[in-house]
Amino acid sequence: MRVRIPLIIEESLIKEIDEIAGEKHRRAATIETALREYIARQARKAKANPPAEEPPPPPPTRGTARSSAVSAEKAAARANAVRATKATSRSNTVQAAKTTARAKR
């Protein structure tokens, strides 16, 4: 089945197509023949040079799921330690303030 399509081509290329097509000006047939030849040539080229097999990916060095989990655990432990230190500092500060207030009485 043939399908009509709009095609934008440079004027110089149209002139060359007209020269090849001859007096009958069968541009469509000339373009169709050229495309068929091009497609066949590309198919032969692909068959002659199959794509190389992709090498396996390198092993992960950073950012694996296990290292991410370990990093998250370490970060949580650090955050807990900081919270505990701050809580201890606050309670020591409150205790010192109470002791100072009692001493002033």
Side-chain angles (χ1 to χ4, degrees):
M1 181 171 115
R2 300 181 95 192
V3 178
R4 185 177 295 266
I5 62 166
L7 186 62
I8 300 172
I9 300 177
E10 285 188 35
E11 192 174 339
S12 60
L13 190 55
I14 291 291
K15 288 179 183 177
E16 290 181 43
I17 291 170
D18 286 344
E19 287 177 18
I20 293 169
E23 291 182 20
K24 292 185 180 180
H25 290 289
R26 300 230 10 196
R27 289 180 183 161
T30 304
I31 292 171
E32 192 172 325
T33 301
L35 286 173
R36 287 185 191 282
E37 289 175 8
Y38 175 77
I39 291 169
R41 188 170 48 247
Q42 293 300 316
R44 284 192 304 271
K45 187 192 261 185
K47 193 174 183 180
N49 300 324
E53 192 173 305
E54 292 185 28
T61 54
R62 301 184 83 213
T64 61
R66 178 156 171 34
S67 67
S68 295
V70 171
S71 296
E73 288 175 15
K74 287 180 180 179
R78 273 188 249 124
N80 288 337
V82 168
R83 278 191 221 105
T85 303
K86 286 182 179 178
T88 304
S89 295
R90 271 191 237 114
S91 68
N92 288 344
T93 304
V94 169
Q95 195 65 27
K98 287 180 182 177
T99 305
T100 306
R102 283 187 200 138
K104 288 185 179 179
R105 291 187 202 170

Coordinates of all heavy atoms in Angstrom, one line a residue:
M1 N 0.8 -1.2 0.0 CA 0.0 0.0 0.0 C 0.9 1.2 0.0 O 1.8 1.3 0.8 CB -0.9 0.0 1.2 CG -1.8 1.2 1.3 SD -3.0 0.9 2.6 CE -2.5 2.3 3.7
R2 N 0.6 2.1 -0.8 CA 1.3 3.4 -0.9 C 0.6 4.4 -0.1 O -0.6 4.5 -0.1 CB 1.5 3.8 -2.4 CG 2.2 2.7 -3.2 CD 2.3 3.1 -4.6 NE 3.7 3.7 -4.7 CZ 4.1 4.4 -5.7 NH1 3.3 4.6 -6.7 NH2 5.3 4.9 -5.7
V3 N 1.4 5.3 0.5 CA 0.9 6.3 1.4 C 1.5 7.7 0.9 O 2.7 7.8 0.6 CB 1.3 6.1 2.9 CG1 0.8 7.2 3.8 CG2 0.8 4.7 3.3
R4 N 0.6 8.7 0.9 CA 1.1 10.0 0.4 C 1.6 10.7 1.7 O 0.9 10.8 2.7 CB -0.1 10.7 -0.2 CG 0.3 12.1 -0.7 CD -0.9 12.8 -1.4 NE -1.4 12.0 -2.5 CZ -1.0 12.3 -3.8 NH1 -0.2 13.3 -4.0 NH2 -1.5 11.6 -4.8
I5 N 2.8 11.3 1.6 CA 3.4 12.0 2.7 C 3.9 13.4 2.2 O 4.4 13.4 1.1 CB 4.5 11.3 3.4 CG1 5.6 11.0 2.5 CG2 3.9 10.0 4.0 CD1 6.9 10.5 3.2
P6 N 3.9 14.4 3.0 CA 4.5 15.6 2.6 C 6.0 15.5 2.9 O 6.4 14.9 3.9 CB 3.9 16.7 3.5 CG 3.3 16.0 4.6 CD 3.0 14.6 4.2
L7 N 6.9 16.0 2.0 CA 8.3 15.8 2.2 C 9.0 17.1 1.8 O 8.7 17.7 0.7 CB 8.8 14.7 1.2 CG 10.2 14.3 1.3 CD1 10.5 13.7 2.7 CD2 10.5 13.2 0.3
I8 N 9.8 17.6 2.6 CA 10.5 18.9 2.3 C 12.0 18.5 2.0 O 12.7 17.9 2.8 CB 10.5 19.8 3.6 CG1 9.0 20.1 3.9 CG2 11.3 21.1 3.3 CD1 8.9 20.9 5.2
I9 N 12.4 18.9 0.8 CA 13.7 18.6 0.3 C 14.3 19.8 -0.3 O 13.6 20.7 -0.9 CB 13.6 17.5 -0.8 CG1 13.0 16.2 -0.3 CG2 15.0 17.2 -1.4 CD1 12.8 15.1 -1.3
E10 N 15.6 20.0 -0.2 CA 16.3 21.1 -0.8 C 16.1 21.2 -2.3 O 16.0 20.1 -3.0 CB 17.8 21.1 -0.5 CG 18.1 21.4 0.9 CD 19.6 21.5 1.1 OE1 20.3 22.0 0.2 OE2 20.1 21.2 2.2
E11 N 16.0 22.4 -2.8 CA 15.7 22.6 -4.3 C 16.8 21.9 -5.1 O 16.5 21.3 -6.2 CB 15.6 24.1 -4.6 CG 15.1 24.4 -5.9 CD 14.9 25.9 -6.1 OE1 14.7 26.6 -5.1 OE2 14.8 26.3 -7.3
S12 N 18.1 22.0 -4.7 CA 19.2 21.5 -5.5 C 19.0 19.9 -5.6 O 19.3 19.3 -6.6 CB 20.5 21.8 -4.9 OG 20.6 21.3 -3.6
L13 N 18.6 19.3 -4.5 CA 18.4 17.9 -4.6 C 17.2 17.5 -5.5 O 17.3 16.5 -6.2 CB 18.1 17.4 -3.1 CG 18.1 15.9 -2.9 CD1 19.4 15.2 -3.4 CD2 17.9 15.6 -1.4
I14 N 16.2 18.3 -5.5 CA 15.0 18.1 -6.4 C 15.5 18.1 -7.9 O 15.1 17.3 -8.7 CB 13.9 19.1 -6.2 CG1 13.2 18.9 -4.8 CG2 12.9 19.1 -7.3 CD1 12.4 17.6 -4.7
K15 N 16.4 19.1 -8.2 CA 16.9 19.2 -9.5 C 17.6 17.9 -9.9 O 17.5 17.4 -11.1 CB 17.8 20.4 -9.7 CG 17.0 21.7 -9.7 CD 17.9 22.9 -9.8 CE 17.1 24.2 -9.7 NZ 18.0 25.4 -9.7
E16 N 18.4 17.4 -9.0 CA 19.2 16.2 -9.3 C 18.2 15.0 -9.5 O 18.4 14.1 -10.3 CB 20.2 15.9 -8.2 CG 21.4 16.9 -8.1 CD 22.4 16.6 -7.0 OE1 22.7 15.4 -6.9 OE2 22.8 17.5 -6.4
I17 N 17.2 14.9 -8.6 CA 16.2 13.8 -8.8 C 15.5 13.9 -10.1 O 15.3 12.9 -10.8 CB 15.2 13.9 -7.6 CG1 15.9 13.5 -6.3 CG2 14.0 13.0 -7.9 CD1 15.0 13.8 -5.0
D18 N 15.2 15.1 -10.5 CA 14.5 15.3 -11.8 C 15.4 14.9 -13.0 O 14.9 14.3 -14.0 CB 14.1 16.8 -12.0 CG 12.9 17.2 -11.2 OD1 12.2 16.3 -10.7 OD2 12.7 18.4 -11.0
E19 N 16.7 15.1 -12.9 CA 17.7 14.7 -13.9 C 17.7 13.2 -14.0 O 17.7 12.6 -15.1 CB 19.1 15.2 -13.6 CG 19.2 16.7 -13.9 CD 20.6 17.2 -13.5 OE1 21.5 16.4 -13.4 OE2 20.7 18.5 -13.4
I20 N 17.7 12.5 -12.8 CA 17.7 11.1 -12.8 C 16.4 10.5 -13.3 O 16.4 9.5 -14.0 CB 18.0 10.6 -11.4 CG1 19.5 11.0 -11.0 CG2 17.9 9.0 -11.2 CD1 19.8 10.8 -9.5
A21 N 15.3 11.1 -12.9 CA 14.0 10.6 -13.2 C 13.7 10.7 -14.7 O 12.9 9.9 -15.2 CB 12.9 11.4 -12.4
G22 N 14.3 11.6 -15.4 CA 14.1 11.7 -16.8 C 12.9 12.7 -17.1 O 12.4 13.4 -16.3
E23 N 12.4 12.5 -18.4 CA 11.4 13.4 -18.9 C 10.0 13.2 -18.2 O 9.2 14.1 -18.1 CB 11.3 13.3 -20.4 CG 12.4 13.8 -21.1 CD 12.3 13.7 -22.6 OE1 11.1 13.6 -23.1 OE2 13.3 13.7 -23.3
K24 N 9.8 12.0 -17.7 CA 8.5 11.7 -17.2 C 8.3 12.3 -15.8 O 7.2 12.4 -15.3 CB 8.3 10.2 -17.1 CG 8.2 9.5 -18.4 CD 7.9 8.1 -18.3 CE 7.8 7.4 -19.6 NZ 7.5 6.0 -19.5
H25 N 9.3 12.8 -15.2 CA 9.3 13.4 -13.9 C 8.6 12.5 -12.9 O 7.7 12.9 -12.2 CB 8.6 14.8 -13.9 CG 9.4 15.8 -14.6 ND1 10.5 16.3 -14.1 CD2 9.2 16.4 -15.8 CE1 11.0 17.2 -15.0 NE2 10.2 17.3 -16.1
R26 N 9.1 11.3 -12.8 CA 8.6 10.3 -11.8 C 9.5 10.4 -10.5 O 10.2 9.5 -10.2 CB 8.7 8.9 -12.4 CG 7.8 8.8 -13.6 CD 6.9 7.7 -13.7 NE 6.8 7.0 -12.4 CZ 6.3 5.8 -12.3 NH1 5.8 5.2 -13.3 NH2 6.2 5.3 -11.1
R27 N 9.4 11.6 -9.9 CA 10.1 11.8 -8.7 C 9.9 10.8 -7.6 O 10.8 10.3 -7.0 CB 9.8 13.2 -8.1 CG 10.3 14.4 -8.9 CD 9.9 15.6 -8.2 NE 10.2 16.8 -8.9 CZ 9.7 18.0 -8.8 NH1 8.8 18.2 -7.9 NH2 10.1 19.0 -9.5
A28 N 8.6 10.5 -7.4 CA 8.2 9.5 -6.3 C 8.9 8.2 -6.5 O 9.4 7.6 -5.6 CB 6.7 9.4 -6.2
A29 N 8.9 7.7 -7.8 CA 9.5 6.4 -8.1 C 11.0 6.4 -7.8 O 11.6 5.5 -7.3 CB 9.1 6.0 -9.5
T30 N 11.6 7.5 -8.3 CA 13.1 7.7 -8.1 C 13.4 7.7 -6.6 O 14.4 7.0 -6.2 CB 13.5 8.9 -8.8 OG1 13.1 8.9 -10.2 CG2 15.0 9.1 -8.7
I31 N 12.7 8.5 -5.9 CA 13.0 8.6 -4.4 C 12.7 7.2 -3.7 O 13.5 6.8 -2.9 CB 12.1 9.7 -3.8 CG1 12.6 11.0 -4.3 CG2 12.2 9.6 -2.3 CD1 11.7 12.2 -3.9
E32 N 11.6 6.5 -4.1 CA 11.3 5.2 -3.5 C 12.4 4.2 -3.8 O 12.9 3.5 -3.0 CB 10.0 4.7 -4.1 CG 9.4 3.5 -3.4 CD 8.0 3.2 -3.9 OE1 7.2 4.1 -4.2 OE2 7.7 2.0 -3.9
T33 N 12.9 4.2 -5.1 CA 14.0 3.3 -5.5 C 15.3 3.6 -4.7 O 15.9 2.7 -4.1 CB 14.3 3.4 -7.0 OG1 13.1 3.1 -7.7 CG2 15.5 2.5 -7.4
A34 N 15.6 4.9 -4.5 CA 16.8 5.3 -3.7 C 16.7 4.8 -2.3 O 17.6 4.3 -1.7 CB 17.0 6.8 -3.8
L35 N 15.5 5.0 -1.7 CA 15.3 4.6 -0.3 C 15.4 3.1 -0.1 O 16.0 2.6 0.8 CB 13.9 5.1 0.2 CG 13.9 6.6 0.5 CD1 12.4 7.0 0.8 CD2 14.8 7.0 1.6
R36 N 14.8 2.3 -1.1 CA 14.9 0.9 -1.0 C 16.4 0.4 -1.1 O 16.8 -0.5 -0.3 CB 14.1 0.2 -2.1 CG 12.6 0.3 -1.9 CD 11.9 -0.5 -3.0 NE 10.4 -0.2 -3.0 CZ 9.6 -0.7 -2.1 NH1 10.0 -1.5 -1.2 NH2 8.3 -0.4 -2.2
E37 N 17.1 1.0 -2.0 CA 18.6 0.7 -2.1 C 19.3 1.0 -0.8 O 20.1 0.3 -0.3 CB 19.2 1.4 -3.3 CG 18.7 0.8 -4.6 CD 19.3 1.6 -5.8 OE1 20.1 2.5 -5.6 OE2 18.8 1.3 -6.9
Y38 N 19.0 2.2 -0.2 CA 19.7 2.6 1.0 C 19.3 1.6 2.2 O 20.2 1.2 2.9 CB 19.2 4.0 1.4 CG 19.8 4.5 2.7 CD1 21.1 4.9 2.8 CD2 19.0 4.5 3.8 CE1 21.6 5.3 4.0 CE2 19.5 4.9 5.0 CZ 20.8 5.3 5.2 OH 21.3 5.7 6.4
I39 N 18.1 1.3 2.3 CA 17.6 0.4 3.3 C 18.3 -1.0 3.2 O 18.8 -1.6 4.2 CB 16.1 0.3 3.4 CG1 15.5 1.6 3.9 CG2 15.7 -0.9 4.3 CD1 14.0 1.7 3.7
A40 N 18.4 -1.5 2.0 CA 19.0 -2.8 1.7 C 20.5 -2.7 2.1 O 21.1 -3.7 2.7 CB 18.8 -3.2 0.2
R41 N 21.2 -1.6 1.7 CA 22.6 -1.4 2.0 C 22.8 -1.4 3.5 O 23.7 -2.0 4.0 CB 23.1 -0.2 1.3 CG 24.6 0.0 1.4 CD 25.1 1.2 0.5 NE 24.4 2.4 0.7 CZ 23.6 3.0 -0.3 NH1 23.5 2.4 -1.4 NH2 23.0 4.1 -0.1
Q42 N 21.9 -0.7 4.2 CA 22.1 -0.7 5.7 C 21.9 -2.0 6.3 O 22.5 -2.4 7.3 CB 21.1 0.3 6.3 CG 21.4 1.8 5.9 CD 22.7 2.2 6.4 OE1 23.1 2.0 7.5 NE2 23.4 2.9 5.5
A43 N 20.9 -2.8 5.8 CA 20.7 -4.2 6.3 C 21.9 -5.1 6.1 O 22.3 -5.8 6.9 CB 19.4 -4.8 5.6
R44 N 22.5 -5.0 4.9 CA 23.7 -5.8 4.6 C 24.8 -5.4 5.5 O 25.6 -6.2 6.0 CB 24.1 -5.6 3.1 CG 23.3 -6.4 2.1 CD 23.9 -6.4 0.8 NE 24.2 -5.0 0.2 CZ 23.4 -4.3 -0.5 NH1 22.1 -4.8 -0.7 NH2 23.7 -3.1 -0.9
K45 N 25.0 -4.1 5.7 CA 26.0 -3.6 6.6 C 25.8 -4.1 8.1 O 26.8 -4.5 8.7 CB 26.0 -2.0 6.6 CG 27.2 -1.4 7.4 CD 26.9 0.1 7.6 CE 27.6 0.9 6.6 NZ 27.4 2.4 6.9
A46 N 24.6 -4.1 8.5 CA 24.3 -4.5 9.9 C 24.5 -6.0 10.0 O 25.0 -6.5 11.1 CB 22.8 -4.2 10.3
K47 N 24.2 -6.8 9.0 CA 24.4 -8.2 9.0 C 25.9 -8.6 9.0 O 26.3 -9.5 9.6 CB 23.7 -8.9 7.8 CG 23.5 -10.3 7.9 CD 22.7 -10.8 6.7 CE 22.5 -12.3 6.8 NZ 21.7 -12.8 5.7
A48 N 26.7 -7.8 8.2 CA 28.1 -8.1 8.1 C 28.8 -7.6 9.4 O 29.8 -8.3 9.8 CB 28.7 -7.3 7.0
N49 N 28.3 -6.6 10.1 CA 29.0 -6.1 11.3 C 28.0 -6.2 12.5 O 27.4 -5.2 12.9 CB 29.4 -4.7 11.1 CG 30.5 -4.6 10.0 OD1 31.3 -5.4 9.8 ND2 30.4 -3.5 9.3
P50 N 27.7 -7.4 13.1 CA 26.8 -7.4 14.2 C 27.3 -6.6 15.3 O 28.5 -6.5 15.5 CB 26.7 -8.9 14.5 CG 27.9 -9.5 14.0 CD 28.3 -8.7 12.8
P51 N 26.4 -6.0 16.1 CA 26.8 -5.2 17.2 C 27.6 -6.1 18.2 O 27.3 -7.2 18.5 CB 25.5 -4.7 17.8 CG 24.4 -5.5 17.3 CD 24.9 -6.1 16.0
A52 N 28.7 -5.5 18.7 CA 29.5 -6.2 19.7 C 28.7 -6.4 21.0 O 27.9 -5.6 21.4 CB 30.8 -5.4 20.0
E53 N 29.0 -7.5 21.7 CA 28.3 -7.8 22.9 C 28.8 -6.8 24.0 O 30.0 -6.6 24.1 CB 28.6 -9.2 23.3 CG 27.8 -9.7 24.5 CD 28.0 -11.2 24.7 OE1 27.9 -12.0 23.8 OE2 28.3 -11.5 25.9
E54 N 27.9 -6.3 24.8 CA 28.3 -5.3 25.8 C 29.0 -6.0 26.9 O 28.7 -7.1 27.3 CB 27.0 -4.7 26.3 CG 26.3 -3.8 25.4 CD 25.2 -3.0 26.0 OE1 25.2 -2.8 27.2 OE2 24.2 -2.7 25.3
P55 N 30.1 -5.4 27.4 CA 30.9 -6.0 28.5 C 30.0 -5.9 29.8 O 29.2 -5.0 29.9 CB 32.1 -5.1 28.6 CG 31.7 -3.8 28.0 CD 30.7 -4.2 26.9
P56 N 30.3 -6.8 30.7 CA 29.5 -6.8 31.9 C 29.9 -5.5 32.7 O 31.0 -5.0 32.6 CB 30.0 -8.0 32.7 CG 31.3 -8.4 32.1 CD 31.2 -7.9 30.7
P57 N 28.9 -5.0 33.5 CA 29.2 -3.7 34.2 C 30.2 -4.0 35.3 O 30.3 -5.1 35.8 CB 27.8 -3.4 34.8 CG 27.1 -4.6 34.8 CD 27.6 -5.5 33.7
P58 N 31.0 -3.0 35.7 CA 32.0 -3.2 36.7 C 31.3 -3.4 38.1 O 30.2 -3.0 38.3 CB 32.8 -1.9 36.7 CG 31.9 -0.9 36.1 CD 31.0 -1.7 35.2
P59 N 32.0 -4.1 39.0 CA 31.3 -4.4 40.3 C 31.2 -3.0 41.0 O 32.0 -2.1 40.9 CB 32.3 -5.3 41.0 CG 33.6 -5.1 40.3 CD 33.3 -4.7 38.9
P60 N 30.1 -2.9 41.8 CA 29.9 -1.6 42.5 C 31.0 -1.4 43.6 O 31.3 -2.4 44.3 CB 28.5 -1.7 43.1 CG 28.2 -3.2 43.1 CD 29.0 -3.8 42.0
T61 N 31.5 -0.2 43.7 CA 32.5 0.0 44.7 C 31.9 0.9 45.8 O 32.4 0.7 47.0 CB 33.7 0.8 44.1 OG1 33.2 2.0 43.4 CG2 34.4 0.0 43.1
R62 N 31.0 1.7 45.5 CA 30.3 2.5 46.6 C 28.9 2.5 46.3 O 28.4 2.4 45.1 CB 30.9 3.9 46.5 CG 32.4 4.0 46.8 CD 32.9 5.4 46.8 NE 32.6 5.9 48.2 CZ 32.3 7.1 48.5 NH1 32.2 8.0 47.6 NH2 32.1 7.4 49.8
G63 N 28.1 2.8 47.3 CA 26.7 3.0 47.1 C 25.9 1.8 47.0 O 24.7 1.8 46.5
T64 N 26.4 0.6 47.4 CA 25.6 -0.6 47.3 C 24.5 -0.5 48.4 O 24.6 0.3 49.3 CB 26.5 -1.8 47.5 OG1 27.1 -1.8 48.8 CG2 27.6 -1.9 46.4
A65 N 23.6 -1.4 48.3 CA 22.5 -1.4 49.2 C 23.0 -1.7 50.6 O 22.6 -1.1 51.6 CB 21.4 -2.4 48.8
R66 N 23.9 -2.6 50.7 CA 24.5 -2.9 52.0 C 25.2 -1.8 52.6 O 25.1 -1.4 53.8 CB 25.4 -4.2 51.9 CG 26.0 -4.5 53.3 CD 26.5 -6.0 53.3 NE 27.2 -6.4 54.4 CZ 27.2 -6.0 55.7 NH1 26.4 -5.1 56.0 NH2 28.0 -6.6 56.6
S67 N 26.1 -1.1 51.8 CA 26.9 0.0 52.4 C 25.9 1.2 52.7 O 26.2 1.9 53.7 CB 28.0 0.4 51.4 OG 27.4 1.0 50.2
S68 N 24.9 1.3 52.0 CA 23.9 2.4 52.3 C 23.2 2.1 53.6 O 23.0 3.0 54.4 CB 22.9 2.5 51.2 OG 23.5 2.9 50.0
A69 N 22.9 0.9 53.8 CA 22.2 0.5 55.1 C 23.1 0.7 56.3 O 22.7 1.2 57.3 CB 21.7 -1.0 55.0
V70 N 24.4 0.3 56.1 CA 25.4 0.5 57.2 C 25.6 2.0 57.4 O 25.6 2.4 58.6 CB 26.7 -0.2 56.8 CG1 27.8 0.1 57.8 CG2 26.5 -1.7 56.7
S71 N 25.7 2.8 56.4 CA 25.8 4.2 56.5 C 24.7 4.8 57.3 O 24.8 5.7 58.1 CB 26.0 4.9 55.2 OG 27.2 4.4 54.5
A72 N 23.5 4.4 57.0 CA 22.3 4.9 57.6 C 22.3 4.5 59.1 O 21.9 5.3 60.0 CB 21.0 4.3 57.0
E73 N 22.7 3.3 59.4 CA 22.8 2.8 60.8 C 23.8 3.7 61.6 O 23.6 4.1 62.7 CB 23.2 1.4 60.9 CG 22.1 0.4 60.5 CD 22.5 -1.0 60.5 OE1 23.6 -1.3 61.1 OE2 21.8 -1.8 59.9
K74 N 25.0 3.9 61.0 CA 26.0 4.7 61.6 C 25.5 6.2 61.8 O 25.8 6.8 62.9 CB 27.3 4.8 60.8 CG 28.0 3.5 60.8 CD 29.3 3.6 59.9 CE 30.1 2.3 59.9 NZ 31.3 2.4 59.1
A75 N 24.8 6.7 60.9 CA 24.3 8.1 61.0 C 23.3 8.2 62.1 O 23.3 9.1 62.9 CB 23.7 8.6 59.7
A76 N 22.4 7.1 62.2 CA 21.4 7.1 63.3 C 22.1 7.0 64.7 O 21.7 7.7 65.6 CB 20.4 5.9 63.1
A77 N 23.1 6.2 64.8 CA 23.9 6.0 66.0 C 24.5 7.3 66.4 O 24.5 7.7 67.6 CB 24.9 4.9 65.9
R78 N 25.1 8.0 65.5 CA 25.7 9.3 65.8 C 24.7 10.3 66.2 O 24.9 11.1 67.2 CB 26.4 9.9 64.5 CG 27.8 9.4 64.4 CD 28.6 10.1 63.3 NE 28.8 9.0 62.3 CZ 28.4 9.1 61.0 NH1 27.8 10.2 60.5 NH2 28.6 8.1 60.2
A79 N 23.5 10.4 65.6 CA 22.5 11.3 66.0 C 22.0 11.0 67.4 O 21.8 11.9 68.2 CB 21.3 11.2 65.0
N80 N 21.8 9.7 67.7 CA 21.4 9.3 69.1 C 22.4 9.7 70.1 O 22.1 10.2 71.2 CB 21.1 7.8 69.1 CG 19.9 7.4 68.4 OD1 19.0 8.3 68.2 ND2 19.8 6.2 68.0
A81 N 23.7 9.6 69.7 CA 24.8 10.0 70.7 C 24.8 11.5 70.9 O 24.9 11.9 72.0 CB 26.1 9.5 70.1
V82 N 24.6 12.2 69.9 CA 24.5 13.7 70.0 C 23.3 14.1 70.9 O 23.4 14.9 71.7 CB 24.4 14.4 68.6 CG1 24.1 15.8 68.7 CG2 25.7 14.2 67.9
R83 N 22.2 13.5 70.6 CA 21.0 13.8 71.4 C 21.2 13.5 72.9 O 20.9 14.2 73.8 CB 19.8 13.0 70.9 CG 19.1 13.6 69.8 CD 17.7 12.9 69.5 NE 17.6 12.8 68.1 CZ 17.7 11.7 67.3 NH1 18.0 10.6 67.9 NH2 17.6 11.7 66.0
A84 N 21.9 12.3 73.2 CA 22.1 11.9 74.6 C 23.1 12.9 75.2 O 22.9 13.3 76.4 CB 22.7 10.5 74.6
T85 N 24.1 13.4 74.5 CA 25.1 14.3 75.0 C 24.4 15.6 75.3 O 24.6 16.2 76.4 CB 26.2 14.6 74.0 OG1 26.8 13.3 73.7 CG2 27.2 15.5 74.5
K86 N 23.5 16.1 74.4 CA 22.8 17.3 74.6 C 21.9 17.2 75.9 O 21.8 18.1 76.7 CB 22.0 17.7 73.4 CG 22.8 18.3 72.3 CD 21.9 18.7 71.1 CE 22.8 19.2 70.0 NZ 22.0 19.6 68.8
A87 N 21.2 16.1 76.0 CA 20.3 15.9 77.1 C 21.1 15.9 78.4 O 20.7 16.5 79.4 CB 19.5 14.6 77.0
T88 N 22.2 15.3 78.4 CA 23.1 15.2 79.6 C 23.6 16.6 79.9 O 23.5 17.1 81.1 CB 24.3 14.3 79.4 OG1 23.8 13.0 79.1 CG2 25.1 14.2 80.6
S89 N 23.9 17.4 78.9 CA 24.4 18.8 79.1 C 23.3 19.6 79.7 O 23.5 20.4 80.6 CB 24.9 19.4 77.8 OG 26.0 18.7 77.3
R90 N 22.1 19.4 79.2 CA 20.9 20.2 79.7 C 20.6 19.9 81.1 O 20.4 20.8 81.9 CB 19.7 19.9 78.8 CG 19.6 20.9 77.6 CD 18.2 20.7 76.9 NE 18.4 20.4 75.6 CZ 18.1 19.2 75.0 NH1 17.5 18.3 75.6 NH2 18.4 19.0 73.8
S91 N 20.6 18.6 81.4 CA 20.3 18.3 82.8 C 21.4 18.7 83.8 O 21.1 19.2 84.9 CB 20.1 16.7 83.0 OG 21.3 16.1 82.8
N92 N 22.7 18.7 83.3 CA 23.8 19.2 84.1 C 23.6 20.7 84.3 O 23.8 21.3 85.4 CB 25.1 18.9 83.5 CG 25.5 17.5 83.6 OD1 24.9 16.7 84.4 ND2 26.5 17.0 82.9
T93 N 23.2 21.4 83.3 CA 23.0 22.9 83.4 C 21.9 23.2 84.3 O 22.0 24.1 85.1 CB 22.7 23.5 82.0 OG1 23.8 23.1 81.1 CG2 22.6 25.0 82.0
V94 N 20.8 22.5 84.2 CA 19.6 22.7 85.1 C 20.0 22.4 86.5 O 19.7 23.2 87.5 CB 18.4 21.8 84.6 CG1 17.3 21.8 85.7 CG2 17.9 22.3 83.3
Q95 N 20.7 21.3 86.8 CA 21.2 21.0 88.1 C 22.1 22.0 88.7 O 21.9 22.4 89.8 CB 21.9 19.6 88.1 CG 22.1 19.0 89.4 CD 20.7 18.6 90.0 OE1 19.8 18.3 89.3 NE2 20.7 18.5 91.3
A96 N 23.0 22.5 87.8 CA 23.9 23.6 88.3 C 23.1 24.9 88.6 O 23.4 25.5 89.6 CB 24.9 23.9 87.2
A97 N 22.1 25.2 87.9 CA 21.3 26.4 88.1 C 20.5 26.2 89.4 O 20.5 27.2 90.2 CB 20.3 26.6 87.0
K98 N 20.0 25.0 89.7 CA 19.3 24.8 91.0 C 20.2 24.9 92.1 O 19.9 25.5 93.2 CB 18.6 23.4 90.9 CG 17.4 23.3 90.1 CD 16.8 21.9 90.1 CE 15.7 21.8 89.2 NZ 15.1 20.4 89.2
T99 N 21.4 24.4 92.0 CA 22.4 24.4 93.1 C 22.8 25.9 93.3 O 22.9 26.3 94.5 CB 23.7 23.6 92.7 OG1 23.2 22.3 92.4 CG2 24.6 23.5 93.8
T100 N 23.0 26.6 92.3 CA 23.3 28.0 92.4 C 22.2 28.8 93.1 O 22.5 29.7 94.0 CB 23.7 28.7 91.1 OG1 24.6 27.9 90.4 CG2 24.2 30.1 91.2
A101 N 21.0 28.5 92.7 CA 19.8 29.2 93.3 C 19.7 28.9 94.8 O 19.4 29.7 95.6 CB 18.6 28.8 92.6
R102 N 20.0 27.6 95.2 CA 19.9 27.2 96.6 C 21.0 27.9 97.4 O 20.8 28.3 98.5 CB 20.1 25.7 96.7 CG 18.8 25.0 96.4 CD 18.9 23.5 96.7 NE 17.9 22.8 95.9 CZ 18.2 21.7 95.3 NH1 19.3 21.1 95.3 NH2 17.2 21.1 94.6
A103 N 22.2 28.0 96.8 CA 23.3 28.6 97.5 C 23.1 30.1 97.7 O 23.6 30.6 98.7 CB 24.6 28.4 96.6
K104 N 22.4 30.8 96.9 CA 22.1 32.2 97.0 C 21.1 32.4 98.1 O 21.1 33.5 98.7 CB 21.6 32.8 95.7 CG 22.6 32.9 94.7 CD 22.1 33.6 93.5 CE 23.1 33.8 92.4 NZ 22.6 34.4 91.2
R105 N 20.3 31.5 98.5 CA 19.3 31.7 99.6 C 19.9 31.8 100.9 O 20.5 31.9 101.6 CB 18.3 30.5 99.6 CG 17.4 30.4 98.4 CD 16.4 29.4 98.7 NE 15.9 28.9 97.5 CZ 15.1 27.9 97.3 NH1 14.8 27.1 98.3 NH2 14.6 27.5 96.2

